[in-house]
Amino acid sequence: MTRLAMALMFFCVCSAAQADAQKDALIQVMQANGCMMTTAQANVQVPQLGIDQPTAIRLSREMMAEGIAAFAADEETLLLLPPACKS
């Protein structure tokens, strides 16, 4: 295996681990907020997690695709659904 291929594989593994850690942190914050997060809350709390806006959007889309999150009717509140919602 070439050095470049090994480096790319290491980067992908690290990136996946970082994404999982960021998603876990976002889920924990949402659980602490009663399994929801408004846009206003996200604007304050998500940067404190070290997550930028594009990443937060990608993570929320992944969570929706996994069936553990959905937008409320107001389209400004992201809801955490069971089994991820533990409150």
Side-chain angles (χ1 to χ4, degrees):
M1 193 178 271
T2 68
R3 288 183 191 189
L4 177 59
M6 289 175 58
L8 288 173
M9 186 170 54
F10 178 75
F11 176 76
C12 290
V13 169
C14 290
S15 295
Q18 181 182 11
D20 288 344
Q22 289 175 325
K23 188 184 299 183
D24 290 343
L26 184 57
I27 288 170
Q28 288 176 4
V29 168
M30 291 181 70
Q31 288 171 342
N33 287 340
C35 291
M36 60 186 228
M37 182 174 282
T38 65
T39 300
Q41 289 171 321
N43 289 337
V44 173
Q45 295 175 339
V46 172
Q48 293 174 351
L49 298 172
I51 301 172
D52 60 22
Q53 185 177 13
T55 301
I57 291 168
R58 180 180 51 77
L59 292 173
S60 63
R61 287 179 179 161
E62 286 177 12
M63 291 165 55
M64 287 186 277
E66 293 168 8
I68 61 169
F71 275 109
D74 67 4
E75 297 183 9
E76 292 290 322
T77 304
L78 186 64
L79 304 172
L80 194 60
L81 306 173
C85 180
K86 297 182 188 215
S87 69

